Amino acid sequence: MAVSGLLFIAFTLVHMYGNLKAFSGQEKFNDYAHHLREFGEPILPYEGFLWITRVGLLVALVAHVTSAVILARRASRARTTKYQYKKNKHSALSSRTMRWGGAALLLFIIWHLVNFSFGKVNPQTGETGAAAGDPYTLMVDTFDVWWMTVIYLVAMLALGFHLHHGTWSATQTLGYTNTATSRQRAKQAGWLLAIVIAGGFSLVPLSVMFGIIE
Amino acid sequence: MKLTLKIWRQATTDATGAMHTYQLDGVSEDMSFLEMLDVLNEQLNASDEEPIAFDSDCREGICGMCGLMINGQAHGPEVTTTCQLHMRSFKDGDEITIEPWRADAFPVLKDLCVDRSALDRMIQSGGYISANTGSAPDAHAAPVEKKKADRAFDVATCIGCGACVAACPNGSASLFLGAKITHLGELPQGQPERWDRVIGMVSQHDHDGFGGCTNIGECASACPKEIPLDVISQLNKDLRTAMVKGR
Amino acid sequence: MAMHDGTQALNQASNQLSDDAHGYYTRGENIIDAKAPVGPIKDRWTNRKFENRLVNPANRRKLDVIIVGTGLAGGAAAATMGEAGYNVKSFCYQDSPRRAHSIAAQGGINAAKNYKEDGDSTFRLFYDTVKGGDYRSRESNVYRLAEVSANIIDQCVAQGVPFAREYGGLLDNRSFGGVQVSRTFYARGQTGQQLLLGAYQAMERQVGAGTVQEFTRHEMLEVIVVDDRARGIIARNMVTGEIETHLADVVVLATGGYGNVFFLSTNAMGSNVTAAWRAHRKGAYMANPCYTQIHPTCIPVSGEHQSKLTLMSESLRNDGRIWVPKNREDCEKDPRDIPEEDRDYYLERIYPSFGNLVPRDIASRQAKNMCDEGRGVGPLVGDFRRGVYLDFADAIARMGKKAVETKYGNLFDMYARITGEDPYESPMRIYPAVHYVMGGLWVDYDLQSNIPGLFVTGEANFSDHGANRLGASALMQGLADGYFVLPNTIRDYLADGPFEKVSEDHPAVVEARTSVEERITRFLSINGTRSADSYHKELGHIMWEYCGMERSEDGLRKAIDLIRELKADFWSNLKVLGTADSLNQSLEKAGRVVDFIELGELMCIDALNRRESCGGHFRAESQTEDGEALRHDDEFAYVAAWEWGGDSLDGGQPVLHKEDLIYTAIEMKQRSYK
Ligand SMILES: Cc1cc2nc3c(=O)[nH]c(=O)nc-3n(C[C@H](O)[C@H](O)[C@H](O)COP(=O)(O)OP(=O)(O)OC[C@H]3O[C@@H](n4cnc5c(N)ncnc54)[C@H](O)[C@@H]3O)c2cc1C
Ligand code: HEM
Ligand code: SF4
Ligand code: FES
């Protein structure tokens, strides 16, 4: 769980960095998208790197979701009679919403892939596949639809929550937080990554919506 | 002061329980929470209703026998054991809900009493240092760095009350487990069995149906002995090392 | 006087002249042989270990050992006997062996390690313990205790007990209970907890290995004696209510002390005398039952609802000053408004050389005297204010608040949590509380009671502390008994085993079982109006008033009458709801309370007979001209071992057997703290 989660973090960081290329204009962005596919050539075939990443992420996703399901089932079996009244003392909301947040993210990821990867659905023109336009156009068209932006922003909020707890939780699960200071640092890292990644991702849709990118 | 008490009553493990409401008058703020229940029980006995079963023994916060879910919080609103909670933490007219620890690994025996022998079984599965009586070298044979000795002591103060399990949304006993792993793992005497210990105890933990830890942290904030979350990190670290070593 | 082994007896056998308890008891034979070994004191234990027969390892599996109690004494014994390969069954009334009341000990454990090179030795620890016990203990036992003390520390460290350490990584020691050497090992304020967890873990290891079977939430309610040997116990499964028969080759009681006879004490709610008392009723002698230790620095009672008392470490007396107002009118005032000249620092006044550091019994007795005079402070409980001030204002001025906080911070926090008052701001209130009992079942040198096959260890026996116990010595005794003494003495008994199997329908077994069942039925069928708890409270009041720190002939007679009335009322007016076949805490309580009532009666008779001030108690009729305790070695240097003689309601009287205390290694001296 922690390992696959950290892999996601690494991926999302790179992914976010890529997305921010949108600010350098259509050409640079499309170049980048293209470059991703040529990365590693000639050692790797065209799209080789991309596929390795995709397979890696898929394996991680399966591992991550499987562990999540196992944990959730263990938890529900561990307490079949619920409290009539239960208060939570000091835990963060993010820590108690990992499951629902995670499920939301899963739905989101599926749509996200349909939207930008496998399906390439342009919500504005209704076109799919190559007709949907180059990556840049597809992106701008998508975020020009206000409710699309809202979906993405909500997903990023969920991601922020997930990362806020997930980052610290992963370091704890891996046994790197044996002192009060290291725990403090892991929690700070959680905040940092949540803000940077969720914030970074949100910049693009927001910018499109507000017409900074068109 | 006058209180409304909503208390879980359940005749036996297999019986279905329910919340019952009682009124109690004349509670003084110097009473401990359990003394307040003693007074209620005297009142029930006088009115021919069977007194409420709840556990306590030392009543000074060290044996770990007491433990109630009070207004949704393990051991109530303060950082202390149920027996050391005093009525001055409440005020006149309050409504207080009282439930037993809830976890399938801690079946309810009656009313507010639960069976926590799963914690003993974890200790049986490795929570010790094997040192047969009479076989010990002189106590000064192995000096222990003070920092380590202090950390070992700090986490060895766990009283085995089970509040961590009760408070955990996952029903995990990782704080209890981590405390023992850390205590014995900090000491030179604990090294030879270190890796077997963690594997043995974790397997027993999972076998008894405790949930898995997702690092929420409710356990540490419920713990009356303020065992810190870093023992869970230590537990994970030891577990990882043990697995790498192929135990 | 020369003894037959060549050692020299330093005192003569006692010759009691007074007979205050006349009419309350009958006299039995003196105990002549407590099986203590002969020869020079330092060789006795070594010799005994050698003389005692061994049990073939292959035979051990076939020997069933019942150990009731999982405190230091029982837990350590179960672990050790399990390791040795015996088939052990361990019982406790809590839900886990780890919760035995040994867990609550704070201060520390003594051992003659002499790690500080301050002149400590086995002999000095022996000497201090006998002297501290006011020469009422058996010297051979005490010497053995001092001798094995060092091994205890080694054993505990090997198990991972996190004792306090110095920066160099070696063990730290402190001086405790007024002795001049630093021989007390400690784990912050939780020594008992850490030692018990060590023993508990060792025992759980054996449970895992299959040599020890544990029975938690089981209360022992009867001993089974077959052909004059203890062969098992009857226990009630406290969850299902089932009455279980457990048979074995030998039975060990390690069931702790009976301080709860006073209702309010520092003992746990469930601490009881039932196991010991049932054995007593089956023939085991109860020795020196009136020897109780009262601890001076406890948090006072706050009202009628109080269920137990909490101890605060005695170390507080090192820097705090104890006082009460000179005038009764000031008792309700805010202490900070009472000027210096209106305060009575009574310990400093009466005992100028020891001041606030006088021994426990003196500090306790004087506090009660002040309150009885009407100069107590704190809330009115009944007609009296039961508390005296323990003031840190001077200490804070002298050392600074920070220093006081480092030294006593956790105690101050505990006080604040329980009372809701801030001890840094205004003085604490303290009052004495019953803390420990030196009395217990009589055992010989091998820790065997007068019923063959019934061994008794830890606080439950009477053996090592005489009439008063030194601080940090009970933990030492519990572990000495459990790890080192019992396993070495019990083997001599077991070498004759395995004994012939007893069947569950043997008449003696059936008798034991039915008597337990009948008693339970009786509790449930009285259908009166009073809860068991209310009887317990009333008994506690009687005991505290008349059989507490200061006793008098008249008071004790009165107490005996009151207790008898209470007992009769109990049997006619008790009310226990619920059923026998379920978890029923009122039922458990009823059984314990009636045993306490019977014990209380015997304690008063024992106290009445002992017309001397000694150890922890002050007998009003035996004091020096200036009101200090006066011991009578010529009359009372003996162990009073009482045999059950039937219920007083049926006209029964206890039978007194005396065991003379003859010292060869140490000379008796009167103590003086003036
Ligand atoms: C608050 C406090 C502080 C103390 N501090 C110190 C100190 O600093 N140093 C020191 O040396 N001593 C101290 N003492 C004294 C010391 O702790 C005890 O004397 C000692 O621990 C007793 O140990 P034990 O094994 O004999 O009995 P316990 O630990 O009391 O164990 C009794 C066992 O018997 C079981 N039991 C009892 N009755 C039954 C029954 N009927 N059926 C089944 N099981 C039964 C119980 O379940 C328990 O397991 C202190 C005592 C108290 C109360
Ligand atoms: C596919 C959808 C996802 C689901 C269903 C999901 C679900 C979960 C669940 C239930 C947990 C366990 C709760 C916990 O450990 O506190 C978890 C942990 C975690 N998740 Fe996700 N998650 C998803 C996507 C992601 C993504 C996209 C990332 C990274 C950007 C991520 C990073 C993490 C991390 C780092 C952890 C902590 C791991 C640990 O403590 O061992 N997850 N996830
Ligand atoms: S870790 Fe804390 S909450 Fe959990 S059992 Fe130990 S003392 Fe109780
Ligand atoms: S009763 Fe012992 S900790 Fe509360």
Side-chain angles (χ1 to χ4, degrees), chain C residues 130 133-138 288 291 462 466-467 610 612 614 631-633 636-639 661 663 668:
Chain C
V130 173
D134 235 0
Y135 305 94
R136 291 295 175 267
S137 46
R138 200 186 281 145
N288 302 330
Y291 284 171
F462 87 106
R610 191 168 284 276
E612 68 163 343
C614 155
R631 228 174 52 213
H632 295 292
D633 294 334
F636 292 104
Y638 67 78
V639 175
L661 294 168
Y663 291 91
M668 296 197 207

PDB file of all heavy atoms in Angstrom, chain C residues 130 133-138 288 291 462 466-467 610 612 614 631-633 636-639 661 663 668:
ATOM      1  N   VAL C 130      15.128  -7.149  59.953  1.00  0.00           N
ATOM      2  CA  VAL C 130      14.691  -7.680  61.255  1.00  0.00           C
ATOM      3  C   VAL C 130      14.409  -6.521  62.211  1.00  0.00           C
ATOM      4  O   VAL C 130      13.390  -6.506  62.910  1.00  0.00           O
ATOM      5  CB  VAL C 130      15.761  -8.618  61.856  1.00  0.00           C
ATOM      6  CG1 VAL C 130      15.380  -9.017  63.274  1.00  0.00           C
ATOM      7  CG2 VAL C 130      15.902  -9.853  60.985  1.00  0.00           C
ATOM      8  N   GLY C 133      11.307  -4.741  61.353  1.00  0.00           N
ATOM      9  CA  GLY C 133      10.140  -5.538  61.721  1.00  0.00           C
ATOM     10  C   GLY C 133       9.961  -5.640  63.225  1.00  0.00           C
ATOM     11  O   GLY C 133       9.164  -6.447  63.698  1.00  0.00           O
ATOM     12  N   ASP C 134      10.746  -4.858  63.955  1.00  0.00           N
ATOM     13  CA  ASP C 134      10.660  -4.802  65.410  1.00  0.00           C
ATOM     14  C   ASP C 134      10.826  -6.184  66.051  1.00  0.00           C
ATOM     15  O   ASP C 134      10.158  -6.523  67.016  1.00  0.00           O
ATOM     16  CB  ASP C 134       9.322  -4.158  65.839  1.00  0.00           C
ATOM     17  CG  ASP C 134       9.549  -2.964  66.769  1.00  0.00           C
ATOM     18  OD1 ASP C 134      10.730  -2.674  67.057  1.00  0.00           O
ATOM     19  OD2 ASP C 134       8.563  -2.361  67.200  1.00  0.00           O
ATOM     20  N   TYR C 135      11.725  -6.966  65.491  1.00  0.00           N
ATOM     21  CA  TYR C 135      12.092  -8.265  66.061  1.00  0.00           C
ATOM     22  C   TYR C 135      10.901  -9.194  66.231  1.00  0.00           C
ATOM     23  O   TYR C 135      10.721  -9.817  67.268  1.00  0.00           O
ATOM     24  CB  TYR C 135      12.817  -8.071  67.400  1.00  0.00           C
ATOM     25  CG  TYR C 135      14.009  -7.154  67.253  1.00  0.00           C
ATOM     26  CD1 TYR C 135      13.893  -5.794  67.503  1.00  0.00           C
ATOM     27  CD2 TYR C 135      15.227  -7.659  66.801  1.00  0.00           C
ATOM     28  CE1 TYR C 135      14.965  -4.954  67.326  1.00  0.00           C
ATOM     29  CE2 TYR C 135      16.317  -6.817  66.624  1.00  0.00           C
ATOM     30  CZ  TYR C 135      16.177  -5.468  66.884  1.00  0.00           C
ATOM     31  OH  TYR C 135      17.238  -4.624  66.695  1.00  0.00           O
ATOM     32  N   ARG C 136      10.073  -9.245  65.218  1.00  0.00           N
ATOM     33  CA  ARG C 136       8.952 -10.174  65.287  1.00  0.00           C
ATOM     34  C   ARG C 136       8.938 -11.102  64.071  1.00  0.00           C
ATOM     35  O   ARG C 136       7.921 -11.675  63.719  1.00  0.00           O
ATOM     36  CB  ARG C 136       7.621  -9.406  65.397  1.00  0.00           C
ATOM     37  CG  ARG C 136       7.417  -8.673  66.720  1.00  0.00           C
ATOM     38  CD  ARG C 136       7.304  -9.646  67.897  1.00  0.00           C
ATOM     39  NE  ARG C 136       7.223  -8.956  69.174  1.00  0.00           N
ATOM     40  CZ  ARG C 136       8.279  -8.669  69.954  1.00  0.00           C
ATOM     41  NH1 ARG C 136       9.507  -9.026  69.580  1.00  0.00           N
ATOM     42  NH2 ARG C 136       8.110  -8.042  71.106  1.00  0.00           N
ATOM     43  N   SER C 137      10.082 -11.199  63.374  1.00  0.00           N
ATOM     44  CA  SER C 137      10.132 -12.120  62.239  1.00  0.00           C
ATOM     45  C   SER C 137      11.120 -13.246  62.533  1.00  0.00           C
ATOM     46  O   SER C 137      11.935 -13.149  63.442  1.00  0.00           O
ATOM     47  CB  SER C 137      10.521 -11.383  60.967  1.00  0.00           C
ATOM     48  OG  SER C 137      11.615 -10.534  61.205  1.00  0.00           O
ATOM     49  N   ARG C 138      11.061 -14.256  61.699  1.00  0.00           N
ATOM     50  CA  ARG C 138      11.921 -15.429  61.901  1.00  0.00           C
ATOM     51  C   ARG C 138      13.255 -15.156  61.216  1.00  0.00           C
ATOM     52  O   ARG C 138      13.295 -14.902  60.018  1.00  0.00           O
ATOM     53  CB  ARG C 138      11.220 -16.619  61.251  1.00  0.00           C
ATOM     54  CG  ARG C 138      11.687 -17.960  61.730  1.00  0.00           C
ATOM     55  CD  ARG C 138      11.046 -19.055  60.918  1.00  0.00           C
ATOM     56  NE  ARG C 138       9.683 -19.364  61.293  1.00  0.00           N
ATOM     57  CZ  ARG C 138       8.733 -19.722  60.416  1.00  0.00           C
ATOM     58  NH1 ARG C 138       9.004 -19.778  59.134  1.00  0.00           N
ATOM     59  NH2 ARG C 138       7.520 -20.015  60.825  1.00  0.00           N
ATOM     60  N   ASN C 288      -0.263 -13.801  63.143  1.00  0.00           N
ATOM     61  CA  ASN C 288      -0.178 -12.363  63.427  1.00  0.00           C
ATOM     62  C   ASN C 288      -1.176 -11.542  62.612  1.00  0.00           C
ATOM     63  O   ASN C 288      -0.808 -10.521  62.036  1.00  0.00           O
ATOM     64  CB  ASN C 288       1.225 -11.826  63.117  1.00  0.00           C
ATOM     65  CG  ASN C 288       2.299 -12.548  63.905  1.00  0.00           C
ATOM     66  OD1 ASN C 288       2.051 -13.014  65.011  1.00  0.00           O
ATOM     67  ND2 ASN C 288       3.482 -12.638  63.338  1.00  0.00           N
ATOM     68  N   TYR C 291      -1.184  -7.567  62.439  1.00  0.00           N
ATOM     69  CA  TYR C 291      -0.051  -6.744  61.978  1.00  0.00           C
ATOM     70  C   TYR C 291      -0.379  -6.064  60.643  1.00  0.00           C
ATOM     71  O   TYR C 291      -0.356  -6.687  59.581  1.00  0.00           O
ATOM     72  CB  TYR C 291       1.191  -7.611  61.766  1.00  0.00           C
ATOM     73  CG  TYR C 291       1.912  -8.046  63.010  1.00  0.00           C
ATOM     74  CD1 TYR C 291       2.936  -8.992  62.924  1.00  0.00           C
ATOM     75  CD2 TYR C 291       1.612  -7.520  64.275  1.00  0.00           C
ATOM     76  CE1 TYR C 291       3.630  -9.409  64.044  1.00  0.00           C
ATOM     77  CE2 TYR C 291       2.308  -7.932  65.397  1.00  0.00           C
ATOM     78  CZ  TYR C 291       3.309  -8.883  65.284  1.00  0.00           C
ATOM     79  OH  TYR C 291       4.010  -9.294  66.383  1.00  0.00           O
ATOM     80  N   PHE C 462       3.003 -14.815  56.277  1.00  0.00           N
ATOM     81  CA  PHE C 462       3.355 -13.868  57.338  1.00  0.00           C
ATOM     82  C   PHE C 462       4.855 -13.730  57.462  1.00  0.00           C
ATOM     83  O   PHE C 462       5.343 -13.012  58.301  1.00  0.00           O
ATOM     84  CB  PHE C 462       2.803 -14.391  58.670  1.00  0.00           C
ATOM     85  CG  PHE C 462       3.768 -15.331  59.344  1.00  0.00           C
ATOM     86  CD1 PHE C 462       4.482 -14.932  60.457  1.00  0.00           C
ATOM     87  CD2 PHE C 462       4.005 -16.585  58.825  1.00  0.00           C
ATOM     88  CE1 PHE C 462       5.419 -15.773  61.039  1.00  0.00           C
ATOM     89  CE2 PHE C 462       4.937 -17.428  59.411  1.00  0.00           C
ATOM     90  CZ  PHE C 462       5.641 -17.022  60.517  1.00  0.00           C
ATOM     91  N   GLY C 466       7.932  -9.409  60.064  1.00  0.00           N
ATOM     92  CA  GLY C 466       7.680  -9.196  61.480  1.00  0.00           C
ATOM     93  C   GLY C 466       6.485  -8.303  61.692  1.00  0.00           C
ATOM     94  O   GLY C 466       5.442  -8.494  61.081  1.00  0.00           O
ATOM     95  N   ALA C 467       6.655  -7.301  62.562  1.00  0.00           N
ATOM     96  CA  ALA C 467       5.530  -6.450  62.910  1.00  0.00           C
ATOM     97  C   ALA C 467       5.499  -5.182  62.078  1.00  0.00           C
ATOM     98  O   ALA C 467       4.642  -4.329  62.261  1.00  0.00           O
ATOM     99  CB  ALA C 467       5.593  -6.100  64.389  1.00  0.00           C
ATOM    100  N   ARG C 610      -2.285  -9.241  72.147  1.00  0.00           N
ATOM    101  CA  ARG C 610      -0.933  -8.691  72.090  1.00  0.00           C
ATOM    102  C   ARG C 610      -0.871  -7.348  72.829  1.00  0.00           C
ATOM    103  O   ARG C 610      -0.975  -6.286  72.223  1.00  0.00           O
ATOM    104  CB  ARG C 610      -0.501  -8.558  70.625  1.00  0.00           C
ATOM    105  CG  ARG C 610       0.979  -8.250  70.448  1.00  0.00           C
ATOM    106  CD  ARG C 610       1.421  -8.426  69.002  1.00  0.00           C
ATOM    107  NE  ARG C 610       1.560  -9.834  68.628  1.00  0.00           N
ATOM    108  CZ  ARG C 610       2.654 -10.565  68.868  1.00  0.00           C
ATOM    109  NH1 ARG C 610       3.692 -10.037  69.463  1.00  0.00           N
ATOM    110  NH2 ARG C 610       2.684 -11.833  68.512  1.00  0.00           N
ATOM    111  N   GLU C 612       1.128  -5.168  73.704  1.00  0.00           N
ATOM    112  CA  GLU C 612       2.405  -4.460  73.551  1.00  0.00           C
ATOM    113  C   GLU C 612       2.299  -3.551  72.331  1.00  0.00           C
ATOM    114  O   GLU C 612       1.496  -3.791  71.421  1.00  0.00           O
ATOM    115  CB  GLU C 612       3.559  -5.450  73.344  1.00  0.00           C
ATOM    116  CG  GLU C 612       3.494  -6.192  72.017  1.00  0.00           C
ATOM    117  CD  GLU C 612       4.801  -6.862  71.601  1.00  0.00           C
ATOM    118  OE1 GLU C 612       5.848  -6.511  72.158  1.00  0.00           O
ATOM    119  OE2 GLU C 612       4.761  -7.717  70.704  1.00  0.00           O
ATOM    120  N   CYS C 614       4.154  -2.362  69.142  1.00  0.00           N
ATOM    121  CA  CYS C 614       5.219  -3.022  68.422  1.00  0.00           C
ATOM    122  C   CYS C 614       5.027  -2.788  66.941  1.00  0.00           C
ATOM    123  O   CYS C 614       3.895  -2.797  66.457  1.00  0.00           O
ATOM    124  CB  CYS C 614       5.146  -4.496  68.797  1.00  0.00           C
ATOM    125  SG  CYS C 614       5.809  -5.633  67.647  1.00  0.00           S
ATOM    126  N   ARG C 631       7.634  -2.068  73.648  1.00  0.00           N
ATOM    127  CA  ARG C 631       7.550  -3.470  73.253  1.00  0.00           C
ATOM    128  C   ARG C 631       7.809  -4.353  74.464  1.00  0.00           C
ATOM    129  O   ARG C 631       8.509  -3.937  75.384  1.00  0.00           O
ATOM    130  CB  ARG C 631       8.660  -3.715  72.224  1.00  0.00           C
ATOM    131  CG  ARG C 631       8.227  -4.426  70.981  1.00  0.00           C
ATOM    132  CD  ARG C 631       9.367  -4.466  69.985  1.00  0.00           C
ATOM    133  NE  ARG C 631      10.590  -4.994  70.572  1.00  0.00           N
ATOM    134  CZ  ARG C 631      11.806  -4.593  70.219  1.00  0.00           C
ATOM    135  NH1 ARG C 631      11.969  -3.680  69.296  1.00  0.00           N
ATOM    136  NH2 ARG C 631      12.866  -5.114  70.789  1.00  0.00           N
ATOM    137  N   HIS C 632       7.262  -5.538  74.452  1.00  0.00           N
ATOM    138  CA  HIS C 632       7.547  -6.468  75.549  1.00  0.00           C
ATOM    139  C   HIS C 632       8.089  -7.761  74.986  1.00  0.00           C
ATOM    140  O   HIS C 632       7.350  -8.717  74.771  1.00  0.00           O
ATOM    141  CB  HIS C 632       6.281  -6.742  76.356  1.00  0.00           C
ATOM    142  CG  HIS C 632       5.757  -5.537  77.051  1.00  0.00           C
ATOM    143  ND1 HIS C 632       6.410  -4.940  78.096  1.00  0.00           N
ATOM    144  CD2 HIS C 632       4.653  -4.799  76.841  1.00  0.00           C
ATOM    145  CE1 HIS C 632       5.719  -3.878  78.512  1.00  0.00           C
ATOM    146  NE2 HIS C 632       4.661  -3.766  77.755  1.00  0.00           N
ATOM    147  N   ASP C 633       9.411  -7.784  74.805  1.00  0.00           N
ATOM    148  CA  ASP C 633      10.019  -8.966  74.199  1.00  0.00           C
ATOM    149  C   ASP C 633       9.876 -10.197  75.078  1.00  0.00           C
ATOM    150  O   ASP C 633       9.676 -11.308  74.591  1.00  0.00           O
ATOM    151  CB  ASP C 633      11.500  -8.701  73.934  1.00  0.00           C
ATOM    152  CG  ASP C 633      11.679  -7.629  72.883  1.00  0.00           C
ATOM    153  OD1 ASP C 633      10.761  -7.472  72.043  1.00  0.00           O
ATOM    154  OD2 ASP C 633      12.712  -6.941  72.892  1.00  0.00           O
ATOM    155  N   PHE C 636       6.135 -11.209  74.451  1.00  0.00           N
ATOM    156  CA  PHE C 636       5.504 -11.350  73.126  1.00  0.00           C
ATOM    157  C   PHE C 636       6.438 -11.640  71.955  1.00  0.00           C
ATOM    158  O   PHE C 636       6.024 -11.491  70.812  1.00  0.00           O
ATOM    159  CB  PHE C 636       4.695 -10.091  72.805  1.00  0.00           C
ATOM    160  CG  PHE C 636       3.494  -9.925  73.685  1.00  0.00           C
ATOM    161  CD1 PHE C 636       3.488  -8.993  74.719  1.00  0.00           C
ATOM    162  CD2 PHE C 636       2.369 -10.711  73.493  1.00  0.00           C
ATOM    163  CE1 PHE C 636       2.389  -8.841  75.535  1.00  0.00           C
ATOM    164  CE2 PHE C 636       1.261 -10.562  74.300  1.00  0.00           C
ATOM    165  CZ  PHE C 636       1.261  -9.631  75.332  1.00  0.00           C
ATOM    166  N   ALA C 637       7.662 -12.032  72.236  1.00  0.00           N
ATOM    167  CA  ALA C 637       8.537 -12.351  71.106  1.00  0.00           C
ATOM    168  C   ALA C 637       8.132 -13.710  70.537  1.00  0.00           C
ATOM    169  O   ALA C 637       8.882 -14.676  70.576  1.00  0.00           O
ATOM    170  CB  ALA C 637      10.000 -12.337  71.527  1.00  0.00           C
ATOM    171  N   TYR C 638       6.918 -13.761  70.040  1.00  0.00           N
ATOM    172  CA  TYR C 638       6.448 -15.007  69.432  1.00  0.00           C
ATOM    173  C   TYR C 638       5.518 -14.694  68.267  1.00  0.00           C
ATOM    174  O   TYR C 638       4.998 -13.585  68.145  1.00  0.00           O
ATOM    175  CB  TYR C 638       5.745 -15.894  70.465  1.00  0.00           C
ATOM    176  CG  TYR C 638       4.435 -15.383  71.011  1.00  0.00           C
ATOM    177  CD1 TYR C 638       3.246 -15.487  70.262  1.00  0.00           C
ATOM    178  CD2 TYR C 638       4.362 -14.813  72.288  1.00  0.00           C
ATOM    179  CE1 TYR C 638       2.050 -15.031  70.771  1.00  0.00           C
ATOM    180  CE2 TYR C 638       3.160 -14.350  72.811  1.00  0.00           C
ATOM    181  CZ  TYR C 638       2.004 -14.458  72.044  1.00  0.00           C
ATOM    182  OH  TYR C 638       0.818 -14.009  72.539  1.00  0.00           O
ATOM    183  N   VAL C 639       5.351 -15.673  67.421  1.00  0.00           N
ATOM    184  CA  VAL C 639       4.402 -15.574  66.326  1.00  0.00           C
ATOM    185  C   VAL C 639       3.085 -16.130  66.855  1.00  0.00           C
ATOM    186  O   VAL C 639       3.063 -17.221  67.410  1.00  0.00           O
ATOM    187  CB  VAL C 639       4.863 -16.451  65.143  1.00  0.00           C
ATOM    188  CG1 VAL C 639       3.822 -16.455  64.026  1.00  0.00           C
ATOM    189  CG2 VAL C 639       6.217 -15.978  64.631  1.00  0.00           C
ATOM    190  N   LEU C 661      10.203 -16.825  68.951  1.00  0.00           N
ATOM    191  CA  LEU C 661      11.216 -16.272  68.047  1.00  0.00           C
ATOM    192  C   LEU C 661      12.541 -16.209  68.791  1.00  0.00           C
ATOM    193  O   LEU C 661      12.690 -15.465  69.761  1.00  0.00           O
ATOM    194  CB  LEU C 661      10.796 -14.881  67.582  1.00  0.00           C
ATOM    195  CG  LEU C 661       9.552 -14.888  66.702  1.00  0.00           C
ATOM    196  CD1 LEU C 661       9.006 -13.484  66.516  1.00  0.00           C
ATOM    197  CD2 LEU C 661       9.872 -15.533  65.347  1.00  0.00           C
ATOM    198  N   TYR C 663      16.546 -15.578  68.442  1.00  0.00           N
ATOM    199  CA  TYR C 663      17.553 -14.997  67.555  1.00  0.00           C
ATOM    200  C   TYR C 663      18.937 -15.478  67.922  1.00  0.00           C
ATOM    201  O   TYR C 663      19.290 -15.527  69.102  1.00  0.00           O
ATOM    202  CB  TYR C 663      17.498 -13.469  67.639  1.00  0.00           C
ATOM    203  CG  TYR C 663      16.228 -12.918  67.019  1.00  0.00           C
ATOM    204  CD1 TYR C 663      15.090 -12.710  67.791  1.00  0.00           C
ATOM    205  CD2 TYR C 663      16.172 -12.658  65.662  1.00  0.00           C
ATOM    206  CE1 TYR C 663      13.915 -12.238  67.217  1.00  0.00           C
ATOM    207  CE2 TYR C 663      15.004 -12.189  65.077  1.00  0.00           C
ATOM    208  CZ  TYR C 663      13.882 -11.981  65.863  1.00  0.00           C
ATOM    209  OH  TYR C 663      12.735 -11.524  65.289  1.00  0.00           O
ATOM    210  N   MET C 668      18.079  -8.217  70.166  1.00  0.00           N
ATOM    211  CA  MET C 668      16.911  -7.330  70.187  1.00  0.00           C
ATOM    212  C   MET C 668      17.224  -6.008  70.875  1.00  0.00           C
ATOM    213  O   MET C 668      17.839  -5.991  71.922  1.00  0.00           O
ATOM    214  CB  MET C 668      15.782  -8.002  70.948  1.00  0.00           C
ATOM    215  CG  MET C 668      15.279  -9.255  70.313  1.00  0.00           C
ATOM    216  SD  MET C 668      13.675  -9.594  71.040  1.00  0.00           S
ATOM    217  CE  MET C 668      13.597 -11.326  70.855  1.00  0.00           C
TER     218      MET C 668
END
